[in-house]
């Protein structure tokens, strides 16, 4: 337990009874969790299988497992940790259901959906059954009038998915509610139908998985006792991002021994739109007797220099939290740049001028050798509908500075993606008259023609495919895609000679996943002449459109990112990451307290009924927490970027309290930036 500060040491040593650890940005949360686990394994001599550790992402689980193993090796302790129940809550609940399937309503070998998109598509492909429900049309007509959306089948299925998940995540038993309300009764019947569809297909989504596990726990005392006895210690990471049903499960399975430790930071709770409730961590101690639950606050920040930490503190203290926040005073432990300024702004009289000034600033950092790799800079946006995102991307590309923006629809505009679609389309030329193709697919075909002509082998391959395609049969689009990898363009990409090739390589990996998942959605039908290649037609004329309307990033997790590109990230995406330089856009944003709140339906009010905080307060809290997360990603330099008339009232005092990057206060020679370590690399 070397190099632990006083509070970290206390958190590591306090293993018995309920504990809540509030870990501000950069305060060594993961390190504390690792040391705590090692302490339980080594000093308390607890078997690995008696420990449960939940994380928010699979990536976090892998990192935690790696670091625990490394620490055990350092201590020369030969302890096998493979039996620890370590992973996301969904993966742990799945494992426990599978190990105890006799207590479950699920069938053996049930299939877990891979994410939001698959669930959305599951409902969309079965929407005709929902259309038969009483009041279907009336419900969506009312809703469209109220919200001015939900007109297409894709939007309607999205709405149904969201409401079903909201009910599950808030642990609301809608079937027990008796009412004459049209909204609630329609959702009630839609929920029942969805449940039936899941069981008929032996498939389950993430939210319903939790409903099933909670039911197993609450309705079977034998199983509850078994689970309580199975685990001596439970640790929960990112508890501020848990939802109401997860809270119920965790409190139930730990109620005998009460050795449950939750770790998180309510200031970084930014997933309310996904059902997360910061109230879980704020009210955790109330589930135990007076003084029974220990509170430990980690306040020593090892990530950011002093000026950035002080700026963040001012920001998060700018509003009245009405008691919905733990008292804390985050202090920087970095001894470098104690007195120097590290927070600046970039402005301009217009958006275009602001973009030009931002590009100039980035070039200046590179020209002065302050950055050695563009991945030392991250640019954050509230969302990618922000006009400045596309404008900045175009401006940087003109300067030959590559960006990588995994969460934009730009994915489908990338050369490598359009080229691949074009080549596959060309193979089925006989069955795709060009007059039937939209502009996007015609562009894909044009790219394919140009690229194929550069390579004789490629040309001969495509000619043979076109001529004999009726004789072929494929199990998946990936079979065609993998053949492409033998040709020169794809070989160059796979060798990753530069940032463009690295980006292309990454995007091709995503494309492979798209093809793989598509086959699952169409229930593994063969691609052959037997049905006139209808699956290919469906992919290009229907499925691809749906995919383009969605966000490709939400389908596939991002593990590795291309090197030497500036990452363009949403603030939500950036959570858990850190960068030497962070440039924050979207400073026109305001808390969403407009008329939207008045348009809440009865089903929305039912979903929100568990909370004691007003909807207006929630919107304010969300806003300040979100930008707190953004600002606290910066290690050495934080820059706020916005054109002068665009800065919202919420940001003005902060934007103008710091000097511009063209001021005398900004001395580029005084700037020292951290290198990007493996841990920081995205």
């Amino acid at each position: 337990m070397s190099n632990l500060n006083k509070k970290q040491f206390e958190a590591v040593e306090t293993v018995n009874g309920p504990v809540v650890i509030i870990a501000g940005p950069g305060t060594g949360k993961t390190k504390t969790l690792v040391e705590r686990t090692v302490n339980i394994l080594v000093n308390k001599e607890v078997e690995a299988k008696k420990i449960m550790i939940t994380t928010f992402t699979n990536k976090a689980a892998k990192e935690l497992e790696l670091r625990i193993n490394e620490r055990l090796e350092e201590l020369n302790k030969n302890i096998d940790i493979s039996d620890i129940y370590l992973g996301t809550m969904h993966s742990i609940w799945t494992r426990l259901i599978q190990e105890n399937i006799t207590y479950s309503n699920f069938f053996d070998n049930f299939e877990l959906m891979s994410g939001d998109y698959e669930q959305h598509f599951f409902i969309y492909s079965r929407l005709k059954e929902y259309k038969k429900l009483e009041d279907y049309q009336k419900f969506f007509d009312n809703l469209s009038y109220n919200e001015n959306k939900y007109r297409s089948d894709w939007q309607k299925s999205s709405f149904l998915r969201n409401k079903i998940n909201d009910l599950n995540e808030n642990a609301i038993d809608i079937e027990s509610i008796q009412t004459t309300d049209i909204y609630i009764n329609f959702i009630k019947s839609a929920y029942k139908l969805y449940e039936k569809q899941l069981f008929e297909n032996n498939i389950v989504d993430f939210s319903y998985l939790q409903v099933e596990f909670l039911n197993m726990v609450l309705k079977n005392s034998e199983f509850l006792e078994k689970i309580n006895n199975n685990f001596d210690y439970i640790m929960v990471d990112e508890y501020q991002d848990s939802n109401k049903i997860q809270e119920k499960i965790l409190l139930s399975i730990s109620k005998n021994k009460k050795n449950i430790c939750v770790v998180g930071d309510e200031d970084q709770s930014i997933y309310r739109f996904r059902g997360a409730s910061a109230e879980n961590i704020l009210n955790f101690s109330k589930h135990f007797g007076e003084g029974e639950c220990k509170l430990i606050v980690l306040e020593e920040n090892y990530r950011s220099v002093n000026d950035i930490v002080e700026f963040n503190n001012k920001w998060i203290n700018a509003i009245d939290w009405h008691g919905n926040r733990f008292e804390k005073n985050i202090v920087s432990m970095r001894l470098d740049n104690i007195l120097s300024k590290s927070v600046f702004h970039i402005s301009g009289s217009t958006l275009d001028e602001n973009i030009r000034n931002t590009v100039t600033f980035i070039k200046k950092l590179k020209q002065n050798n302050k950055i050695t790799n563009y991945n030392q800079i991250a640019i954050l946006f509230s969302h990618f509908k922000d006009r400045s995102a596309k404008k900045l991307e175009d401006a940087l590309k003109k300067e030959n500075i590559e960006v990588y923006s995994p969460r934009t629809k730009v994915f489908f505009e990338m050369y490598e993606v359009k080229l691949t679609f074009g080549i596959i389309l060309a193979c089925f030329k006989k069955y795709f008259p060009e007059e039937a193709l939209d502009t996007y697919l015609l562009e894909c075909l044009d790219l394919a023609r140009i690229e194929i002509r550069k390579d004789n082998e490629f040309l001969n391959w495509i000619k043979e495919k076109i001529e004999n395609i009726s004789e072929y049969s494929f199990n998946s689009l990936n079979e065609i895609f993998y053949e492409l990898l033998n040709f020169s363009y794809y070989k160059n990409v796979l060798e990753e000679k530069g940032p463009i090739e690295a980006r292309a390589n990454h995007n091709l990996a995503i494309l492979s996943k798209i093809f793989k998942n598509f086959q699952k959605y169409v229930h593994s039908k063969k691609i052959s002449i037997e049905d006139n290649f209808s699956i290919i037609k469906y992919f290009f004329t229907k499925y691809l459109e749906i995919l383009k309307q969605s966000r490709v990033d939400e389908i596939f997790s991002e593990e590795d990112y291309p090197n030497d590109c500036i990452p363009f990230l949403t603030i939500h995406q950036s959570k858990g990451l850190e960068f030497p330089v962070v440039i924050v856009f979207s400073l026109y944003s305001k808390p969403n307290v407009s008329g939207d709140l008045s348009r809440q339906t009865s089903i929305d009010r039912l979903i929100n009924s568990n909370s004691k905080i007003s909807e207006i307060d929630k919107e304010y809290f969300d806003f300040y927490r979100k930008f707190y997360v953004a600002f606290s990603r910066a290690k050495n330099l934080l820059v706020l970027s916005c054109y002068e008339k665009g800065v919202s009232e919420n940001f003005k005092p902060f934007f103008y309290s710091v000097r511009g990057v063209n001021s005398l206060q900004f001395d580029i020679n005084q700037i020292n930036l951290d290198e990007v370590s493996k841990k920081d690399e995205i």
Side-chain angles (χ1 to χ4, degrees):
M1 286 189 281
S2 59
N3 302 321
L4 292 175
N5 65 43
K6 190 179 172 185
K7 288 292 181 181
Q8 288 172 336
F9 184 81
E10 186 183 359
V12 168
E13 283 291 289
T14 311
V15 295
N16 292 327
V19 184
V20 57
I21 301 170
I22 303 300
T27 55
K29 176 186 66 138
T30 305
K31 179 182 179 179
T32 304
L33 267 176
V34 168
E35 292 293 346
R36 197 173 192 275
T37 308
V38 169
N39 183 31
I40 291 168
L41 286 165
V42 175
N43 299 325
K44 306 298 176 189
E45 297 182 347
V46 174
E47 291 177 273
K49 66 180 182 182
K50 293 279 199 178
I51 300 170
M52 178 193 294
I53 309 173
T54 77
T55 57
F56 194 60
T57 62
N58 289 318
K59 192 174 180 181
K62 285 174 190 168
E63 187 191 346
L64 201 57
E65 185 178 13
L66 179 69
R67 288 178 62 174
I68 292 167
N69 271 319
E70 285 175 349
R71 190 72 182 107
L72 288 168
E73 278 179 33
E74 283 175 19
L75 297 168
N76 290 318
K77 299 294 179 183
N78 187 21
I79 298 173
D80 182 4
I81 66 165
S82 58
D83 285 340
I84 288 185
Y85 283 73
L86 171 57
T88 62
M89 288 193 211
H90 299 112
S91 69
I92 291 173
W93 306 158
T94 304
R95 180 177 166 185
L96 288 169
I97 293 171
Q98 286 168 336
E99 290 171 353
N100 300 276
I101 199 74
T102 52
Y103 296 102
S104 171
N105 288 319
F106 290 168
F107 301 111
D108 278 332
N109 304 315
F110 66 88
E111 186 184 343
L112 185 61
M113 291 181 192
S114 57
D116 286 350
Y117 184 82
E118 189 173 347
Q119 187 189 8
H120 191 168
F121 196 81
F122 180 88
I123 295 171
Y124 172 76
S125 59
R126 294 161 178 80
L127 200 62
K128 61 179 183 285
E129 294 179 50
Y130 293 88
K131 289 179 178 180
K132 294 173 188 171
L133 296 174
E134 190 181 354
D135 289 329
Y136 172 90
Q137 200 55 50
K138 189 177 176 184
F139 178 87
F140 278 109
D141 283 349
N142 284 347
L143 200 68
S144 292
Y145 174 75
N146 198 25
E147 301 256 350
N148 199 27
K149 51 186 177 181
Y150 307 119
R151 298 193 184 276
S152 72
D153 283 356
W154 185 248
Q155 289 170 321
K156 286 168 184 168
S157 51
S158 172
F159 177 87
L160 290 172
R161 179 203 66 194
N162 291 339
K163 293 306 168 210
I164 288 166
N165 288 349
D166 285 345
L167 288 166
N168 288 340
E169 286 161 356
N170 284 279
I172 292 167
D173 180 10
I174 194 162
E175 291 184 34
S176 66
I177 294 169
Q178 301 300 315
T179 178
T180 56
D181 184 277
I182 175 182
Y183 282 96
I184 293 175
N185 281 330
F186 172 75
I187 291 293
K188 199 172 175 177
S189 51
Y191 187 95
K192 213 174 272 186
L193 173 58
Y194 178 69
E195 224 175 5
K196 179 172 165 279
Q197 291 172 338
L198 289 179
F199 277 96
E200 283 173 354
N201 291 275
N202 200 27
I203 192 166
V204 64
D205 68 79
F206 286 141
S207 73
Y208 196 81
L209 176 89
Q210 304 196 113
V211 172
E212 176 64 12
F213 188 62
L214 182 63
N215 285 337
M216 285 168 68
V217 165
L218 296 184
K219 294 178 181 179
N220 197 308
S221 56
E222 186 185 330
F223 177 65
L224 177 60
E225 197 65 23
K226 182 182 175 184
I227 293 291
N228 266 276
N229 290 331
N230 274 5
F231 297 107
D232 288 348
Y233 294 95
I234 295 173
M235 283 171 270
V236 186
D237 191 17
E238 304 285 9
Y239 192 59
Q240 79 281 345
D241 295 326
S242 63
N243 54 42
K244 287 297 173 187
I245 197 165
Q246 290 167 344
E247 178 188 59
K248 280 194 171 185
I249 291 170
L250 289 161
L251 290 171
S252 298
I253 65 174
S254 63
K255 72 174 186 180
N256 286 4
K257 296 172 184 171
K258 296 185 183 178
N259 294 334
I260 178 168
C261 169
V262 300
V263 185
D265 180 14
E266 78 288 359
D267 288 341
Q268 299 182 73
S269 178
I270 58 172
Y271 287 106
R272 186 167 67 93
F273 66 96
R274 286 188 185 167
S277 172
E279 291 166 79
N280 287 2
I281 197 165
L282 288 162
N283 298 328
F284 181 73
S285 61
K286 293 176 184 175
H287 297 285
F288 307 94
E290 187 72 33
E292 191 178 3
C293 179
K294 185 141 190 183
L295 171 68
I296 300 168
V297 184
L298 307 183
E299 297 178 312
E300 296 183 2
N301 181 316
Y302 298 90
R303 173 188 299 158
S304 306
V305 296
N306 187 60
D307 194 35
I308 295 172
V309 170
E310 285 187 359
F311 180 86
N312 290 337
N313 287 342
K314 284 175 191 166
W315 170 258
I316 203 68
N317 284 302
I319 60 166
D320 185 350
W321 291 88
H322 306 303
N324 293 289
R325 184 172 179 258
F326 289 105
E327 285 295 317
K328 58 177 88 75
N329 180 38
I330 307 296
V331 292
S332 174
M333 300 307 288
R334 294 191 58 155
L335 298 174
D336 52 331
N337 295 343
I338 290 178
L339 297 174
S340 55
K341 295 293 176 189
S342 304
V343 186
F344 294 90
H345 75 243
I346 296 173
S347 62
S349 55
T350 63
L351 174 58
D352 287 340
E353 189 183 352
N354 176 238
I355 296 297
R356 283 197 302 274
N357 291 342
T358 305
V359 173
T360 302
F361 171 70
I362 291 167
K363 283 169 65 183
K364 192 175 174 183
L365 288 177
K366 189 71 185 252
Q367 287 160 358
N368 286 269
N369 296 317
K370 293 299 170 179
I371 56 168
T372 53
N373 190 317
Y374 282 116
N375 68 6
Q376 287 174 277
I377 303 172
I379 301 179
L380 309 186
F381 301 88
S382 190
H383 49 73
F384 284 119
K385 291 173 187 165
D386 190 332
R387 279 190 308 146
S388 48
K390 186 71 181 102
K391 278 183 171 284
L392 181 59
E393 183 172 17
D394 292 342
L396 286 165
K397 282 186 174 178
K398 279 180 186 169
E399 299 291 335
N400 294 316
I401 301 169
E402 277 298 313
V403 309
Y404 187 68
S405 46
R407 294 213 169 186
T408 72
K409 292 178 184 178
V410 168
F411 174 85
F412 292 103
E413 295 299 325
M414 288 296 169
Y415 180 86
E416 58 276 7
V417 174
K418 292 176 82 171
L419 174 68
T420 305
F421 286 152
I423 294 167
I424 294 172
L425 260 177
C427 294
F428 298 89
K429 195 177 174 183
K430 290 180 183 175
Y431 302 89
F432 271 91
E434 286 198 20
E435 58 271 19
L437 300 178
D438 64 17
T439 310
Y440 176 81
L441 292 177
L442 288 171
E443 286 171 4
C444 294
L445 271 176
D446 286 342
L447 283 185
R449 287 190 187 105
I450 295 164
E451 192 63 52
I452 287 164
R453 287 187 193 124
K454 296 177 187 174
D455 185 337
N456 281 333
E457 277 186 61
F458 214 161
L459 191 60
N460 293 332
W461 178 87
I462 199 86
K463 280 179 178 173
E464 193 275 332
K465 276 283 188 291
I466 293 168
E467 195 60 37
N468 301 308
I469 198 69
S470 58
E471 296 170 24
Y472 284 92
S473 174
F474 307 96
N475 289 314
S476 157
L477 281 166
N478 268 332
E479 286 186 29
I480 309 169
F481 175 60
Y482 293 148
E483 284 189 50
L484 304 183
L485 304 183
N486 295 312
F487 298 107
S488 56
Y489 168 79
Y490 291 94
K491 278 182 177 174
N492 288 338
V493 165
L494 294 176
E495 287 170 9
E496 291 191 33
K497 291 176 181 172
I500 295 173
E501 288 80 12
R503 182 210 70 211
N505 191 346
H506 186 80
N507 285 339
L508 291 175
I510 290 177
L511 209 49
S512 172
K513 290 179 184 176
I514 287 174
F515 294 148
K516 183 185 173 185
N517 277 28
F518 170 69
Q519 220 59 36
K520 190 165 73 173
Y521 298 142
V522 294
H523 308 296
S524 300
K525 291 178 187 171
K526 272 201 177 288
I527 301 169
S528 70
I529 191 65
E530 279 181 33
D531 60 353
N532 219 27
F533 292 112
S534 64
I535 290 177
I536 295 290
K537 287 177 183 170
Y538 182 73
F539 179 86
F540 283 108
T541 59
K542 190 80 174 174
Y543 187 77
L544 187 57
E545 272 310 301
I546 292 168
L547 210 55
K548 283 160 72 180
Q549 285 177 41
S550 308
R551 293 181 2 191
V552 70
D553 60 285
E554 297 213 338
I555 313 168
F556 311 108
S557 64
E558 303 288 348
E559 291 292 332
D560 300 301
Y561 293 77
N563 189 37
D564 212 21
C565 299
I566 297 179
F568 275 34
L569 305 171
T570 63
I571 296 169
H572 287 91
Q573 243 186 316
S574 75
K575 192 169 177 293
L577 303 174
E578 54 187 41
F579 304 88
V581 183
V582 170
I583 303 174
V584 181
F585 274 80
S586 304
L587 302 184
Y588 57 81
S589 306
K590 308 171 187 172
N592 182 27
V593 289
S594 59
D596 289 354
L597 296 175
S598 63
R599 292 208 298 251
Q600 280 198 336
T601 63
S602 51
I603 188 72
D604 295 318
R605 287 191 290 275
L606 175 66
I607 288 162
N608 295 325
S609 60
N610 280 332
S611 176
K612 292 180 178 137
I613 303 171
S614 77
E615 288 304 298
I616 288 177
D617 276 348
K618 281 180 189 173
E619 294 292 344
Y620 268 98
F621 297 169
D622 284 352
F623 177 83
Y624 280 87
R625 285 166 177 161
K626 184 166 78 169
F627 282 93
Y628 180 72
V629 166
F631 300 150
S632 60
R633 299 310 93 200
K635 298 171 80 175
N636 310 111
L637 189 60
L638 171 64
V639 182
L640 315 181
S641 186
C642 194
Y643 68 100
E644 286 153 16
K645 288 183 180 174
V647 184
S648 78
E649 291 301 317
N650 303 84
F651 288 110
K652 270 183 184 174
F654 296 89
F655 190 81
Y656 292 111
S657 72
V658 297
R659 301 300 297 273
V661 294
N662 293 323
S663 70
L664 292 173
Q665 210 167 13
F666 182 79
D667 183 355
I668 200 161
N669 296 315
Q670 286 186 3
I671 290 177
N672 293 303
L673 301 178
D674 293 356
E675 291 291 323
V676 176
S677 65
K678 198 72 183 167
K679 176 179 170 286
D680 307 326
E681 245 175 51
I682 67 161

